[in-house]
Each structure stands twice: as C-alpha cells, then as structure tokens.
Amino acid sequence: MREGYGSIEEQAQDFIRVFLKLQQAGEEEKEAFIQEKGRIGEREALTRIFLPAVYLRERYALTETEYWLVMLAFCLEVEGGLCLDFAKKSRGRQPDLQYGLHLLSSVLPVDFALIGELCKGESALGEILRLPEAGQTGLLSAPLALQAGAFRFLLDGIPPEEELFRCFLPDEAVLPGGGQVLALHQKEYNRLCICFSMAEPVRLLLHGDRGTGKHTLIKRACRETGSIAVFVKIGRLLKEEAAERRRMMQTLRLTCRLFWPVLVLELAGTADAGPADAGSPVELFLNEDFPQCRTVFLTESRGEAEGAGGLCTVRMDLRQDLSAEEVRLVLDSRIRAGERRSWQDELLGRCRFNIGELEQKRKAVELLAGEAGLTLGEKAPWEAGLKEHSMNSGMGKILESRYTLKEIVLPKECRKQLETVMRLAKRWGGEHGLHLLFHGSSGTGKTMAASALAGELGIPVFKVDLSQVFDKYIGETEKHLEEIFRVAKRGRCLLFFDEADALFGKRTGIQDAHDRYANVSTAYLLQRIEEYEGIVILATNLLDHFDDAFVRRIRFVIRFRNLDREDRERMWEKAFEGGPPLAKDVSVAELAQAAELSPARIRAAAQVAGLLAGCRESKSITREHIKEALELEAGKDETAVRGL
C-alpha cells in the first residue's frame, strides 16, 4: 500500500529519479514514465503535510506539462547530476527552456499554444520561471531556472521575502520578543478584522504619524483573521534600478498569487522616490498586471494620504496621542509594580506621546536610571529624560528663560490683552488652539511675553529657526514643517515664530514654478497652524509686510508699543535688581526721562553700567557709569539722550 510523502525532500528525490531516467530513456521507456508519473501523483494525493509544489500547482492552475516543467527547473537547481548529464551532451551549456520542452515532449503534450503563451507573457510560468520580458527575443534559449522567490518557496514552503518587503505570518509574535500587546485603536481594529475577512479585494487607507501603532494594529487584525501580511517599503523599491525593481515585483506578485495576503504598502518617503519610468507609487500597485489583493496604504504625511485616498474605499485616521487611561495602561504593563508611581502618570500627562514615542521615552528613562544607579521609582531619571526629548529637533530650540507677567514691563493695554489670553489658555488647557500675532518694534518684549505666557501655563517654548525651515527643493519644506509640529505636539510646546513676516509676507505674483511653490508652502503652514491644538505665536517688527488675508485668520493680534515714561521708570528699576546698588545721586525717574529706549535696550544699558562699575571696582553704580552706558547704547541708532 502506497503512502504519502513525509517531507519536501522525499518528493523532490522522486522527481529527480524520474528525470535522470528520462534523460537516458528511449521510446520504450515512455510507458515506464507514465507509470512513475502516476505513482508520484498518488503519493502527492495521500500526503498530509504541506507540499509547496502541489500548492503552487493548485494556486496557479498549472497544466500537467507546466507543472512538470516547473519541477524540472527545481530539480536542475537542487541536483547537480542533472545539469552535468546535459552539459556532457551540449558542450558545457546550461539547460535552457528549449531543452526542458524537448525532454518532456516525448512523454507529455507540448504544443505551439504553450510556447505562444510564454512568448506573450500570458502564461502562469511567466511569474514562476526566469524568462525574458514579453516581446523580447531569445525565449527558448533562456536558462531553465526558477525566479528566486519561487525557488525558495518550493524549497521550504515559506512565503518568499526580499530586502524591501517582508511577510508576517499569523502564528508570529506581534511584538519583538513576544511583548505584551495593548488593545489600542479598538474601533479601527474591529473594522480591519471585518475588511480582512472579506473574500473580495478591498483597498484601505490607514493614516497616522510615525509611532501611532499602524504596524502593530495590522498584525493584530491578521492574527485574529488568520491572514498573512506583506509589508512593502515602496519608497526604497522605487529607487531601485528598473531591472532589479522588475525582479522584486515578480517575487511580490508570486507571493500574492500564492497566499492572497493583506498587501501593506508603506508610502513613507515616496514623495521624491523613484525614476520617471516607475510611475506613481499608487499606480505601480494598482495596474492591471498586479494581483487584486486586500490592500492597505500606510501613510504618515498629508501628501501621501491625499495621493492614495481617492483610490481607497475605506479610510482610517489613527488618533495620534494616547489618552491618560492608555498612558496608565502602558506604564502598568511595562514597569514593575515595585517601581510604579502615580506621579509618573502626572509627569507624562504634561506631554503628548503616541505609543511608539512613549515606548522610546520609557526605554531612554530606563537607560538614564541604570547609568545613575537609580530605579524607575525615582523622579530624577524621568525629569531628565523628558527634558532631553524636548530638544530633539534641528528646526529650532527650547527657550530656557522663564518669566511671569509680573516680572516684565509692558504698556497697560498690551498687559491687559495678555492677561485675557492667559485666562483663556488656562481655561482651555492649551488644547483648543490659540493663535496670536505679536507686532511691534524690536526689543519691545515680544519674546519675553511669549516666555511669560508659557511659564504661566507650565509648558516649554519652542522657538522655530526659520533658516532651517524653507528649502529650495520641492517637498523638503513640508517635511521640515511636519517635523516642527510633530516635536511641538509631542512636548505640548508653545510654538514661537519670530520674524514671521518672512513666512506670511504678502503673496507674490506667480512668475514661475518657484513662486507657485512658495505660495503653496505658506498656505500649508497656515493650515498646520490652524490645526495645531496648542498655542502658536507669530512675532513681527513689520506688520505692514503681513498679508491681510493671513492677519484676518489669526485670533488675537497684540501690539507691543514703546514704553511711556512711567513704564520706562519701572523698567529701569527692574533692570538694576540683583546687581550692585545705585549711587545716591542716581534717579530712575531721570533715567526714564533721559532716553526713550525699549525694554531690551534698557536692560542692555543697565548690564553695561554694572560691568563698568565692576571693572572700576566701584561699590555702586554711579551717574557716570550709567551715562557712559547710555551713550554706548544710544549710539547704535543715534537715539537722543537728554539731561545727563
């Protein structure tokens, strides 16, 4: 009684024995071949283990001739003796397609229809064998060889992978090392499970910032529905040379034909990827030559989402930040009970993290704690780690200075407006979006007022470096802006754009593509500002240079005027606080009357007067020190100094 095959190797050995006999056989051996072929078919039917060759035959609906041609190509690669026998008869040449068809023609039907299909690229063998492209000459002289993905699959039955795409099997761990998977984005998870269970093709768009858990969410849904997922890095694939790209696409098509997977197309970095002949990232995978799978487009930027959104039947936008309850769940699952503290929730609640960012921050804090010989139950490593995360951007810097409204001198009308803004910000918690425009002469206190507003709310100030934002290359400016708002949102920062007229100046007439792109970039920045759920302050010395349409869309416009005499007197008093005492003959009222200086220039003059007193080893700041300092400061723009 015959039994099924116990392994892939056992099946391959049967085929190899048949092909060795067939190479030596004459016409009288034809009947023996038919018997051997029948015996192999019976054993395959009785086999209970997974046989990749049989599975491939069924998925591609191969004819008997096509199946045996595929197995001949496979055996030629695993059994050197088959190639040697052919090489002896053909003066060292490698077996080609013509040889394979000739060898099988004595025992199996090989007609012109099969060859014609191969020439047109219409045969299933076009995805399994390494054949010339459709329309090219030399088909029959092409080496009889399997494409790399097909060979690996027949060898071990595992879905083929390439450097630029990888497979996730339903029995794999969702997280590396088998870590605990948290049930985040539950609504989106349920929808994915429904879509992945559908038999017909469906296209989905899954949009979310880096670290929101898109990959984990898809893997969870695949495990639940028993689906294989294939993650494809489209940006890197498009940068490959045309020949290499075709080879990888052939392997990917094979994988999709065999396993009908969830095809996950990662569009990150596709804005400037690929040569002109590659086509758009979306078109590359939705043309008629590619299998119609359940397809998920993964996007991180708005541009990527808009490019794919019109072709998708379902769109899901992942919530970017963890809720307070989700932060608590993450900490409960990742921190030992003996080191878990309630203040950890409160400390992390001041920032906005998605799951990826929170995991990175927790690991960074663990590293800092280990280096300092501390535990996670102590505050020091947490505070150091959170401060460190705020600095991670080349697009600007965190302002370290901290002021309160009581510490800065401002005109009464300006102070009143800022106090109103402060009350609104405290009531809303800085989460509903406050957009302000500060305008006034240089040194009138715009930056200090921004710092004071942030200080009252207990949030950092992120001052944008405009020289790093705008880029002459199309698409780079948007990337920089994405980085700015990502960092600001993560740290719940007050965003401060100084000299903002450079960003929102009057829009230019369109003379060329660069003018059009500059206007688009500016409009995009305004859109991001309006969507930012925090405080954004634009500061300018030149309000007249601002586009009126932009000014109308800003919620609060606050003018910083020059100080009047009384305010200048208070400013001089504050400027000398904490330094050497004033001599008895110095009158701050007289100093306020002497020159109409801005707060910044008064502070500068007071600092110089203190330095002069120190250099001359004086115990106090005298009129002479102040007069000399004032003359130096006033000389910058020939400001008049009276009465000293």
Side-chain angles (χ1 to χ4, degrees), residues 32 36 64 121 134 203 209 223 237 240 259 272 279 285 291 293 297 307 312 338 343 408 538 640:
E36 285 294 312
E64 193 171 43
R203 296 174 188 161
D209 285 351
R223 288 198 68 178
L237 180 62
E240 294 290 336
F259 297 99
D272 57 351
F285 286 89
C293 296
F297 292 97
C312 296
W343 53 258
I408 60 177
L538 310 175

Side-chain angles (χ1 to χ4, degrees), residues 286-320:
L286 298 185
N287 62 40
E288 60 184 5
D289 296 326
F290 203 81
Q292 294 294 300
C293 296
R294 296 159 293 176
T295 307
V296 180
F297 292 97
L298 283 193
T299 64
E300 293 180 0
S301 72
R302 295 167 184 271
E304 296 162 0
E306 295 307 316
L311 297 168
C312 296
T313 53
V314 179
R315 172 167 178 160
M316 286 178 262
D317 292 275
L318 295 188
R319 179 169 41 84
Q320 306 301 326

Side-chain angles (χ1 to χ4, degrees), residues 237-304:
L237 180 62
L238 292 179
K239 292 179 180 178
E240 294 290 336
E241 294 292 334
E244 183 66 10
R245 191 169 64 245
R246 283 194 296 270
R247 186 189 67 78
M248 292 183 179
M249 288 293 288
Q250 185 183 28
T251 302
L252 188 56
R253 276 194 292 268
L254 175 81
T255 304
C256 292
R257 298 276 190 199
L258 290 176
F259 297 99
W260 196 254
V262 175
L263 187 60
V264 185
L265 307 179
E266 304 181 52
L267 295 183
T270 57
D272 57 351
D277 69 324
S280 75
V282 176
E283 290 170 349
L284 183 66
F285 286 89
L286 298 185
N287 62 40
E288 60 184 5
D289 296 326
F290 203 81
Q292 294 294 300
C293 296
R294 296 159 293 176
T295 307
V296 180
F297 292 97
L298 283 193
T299 64
E300 293 180 0
S301 72
R302 295 167 184 271
E304 296 162 0

Side-chain angles (χ1 to χ4, degrees), residues 56 427 469 492:
L56 182 143
R427 180 175 180 179
V469 174
R492 297 188 66 188

Side-chain angles (χ1 to χ4, degrees), residues 86-196:
F86 174 79
K88 290 177 183 178
K89 300 176 181 179
S90 58
R91 300 179 181 178
R93 287 193 303 113
Q94 292 297 310
D96 53 22
L97 184 59
Q98 183 176 12
Y99 165 73
L101 293 172
H102 174 74
L103 183 68
L104 294 175
S105 64
S106 61
V107 290
L108 289 170
V110 177
D111 53 25
F112 286 112
L114 173 60
I115 298 174
E117 289 176 356
L118 287 172
C119 290
K120 295 177 183 178
E122 296 174 354
S123 170
L125 295 177
E127 289 182 10
I128 301 171
L129 300 176
R130 284 189 291 180
L131 301 176
E133 290 188 58
Q136 291 186 357
T137 59
L139 172 69
L140 295 180
S141 61
L144 181 57
L146 297 168
Q147 64 110 325
F151 175 72
R152 287 200 300 270
F153 173 70
L154 290 176
L155 197 62
D156 53 27
I158 298 175
E161 291 187 342
E162 291 279 358
E163 181 184 355
L164 302 183
F165 67 85
R166 55 187 172 80
C167 298
F168 171 79
L169 304 179
D171 57 350
E172 290 183 34
V174 174
L175 295 179
Q180 181 178 352
V181 181
L182 299 175
L184 304 178
H185 308 298
Q186 199 62 26
K187 178 181 177 182
E188 289 79 7
Y189 167 74
N190 293 333
R191 293 185 71 189
L192 282 178
C193 288
I194 293 172
C195 291
F196 292 174

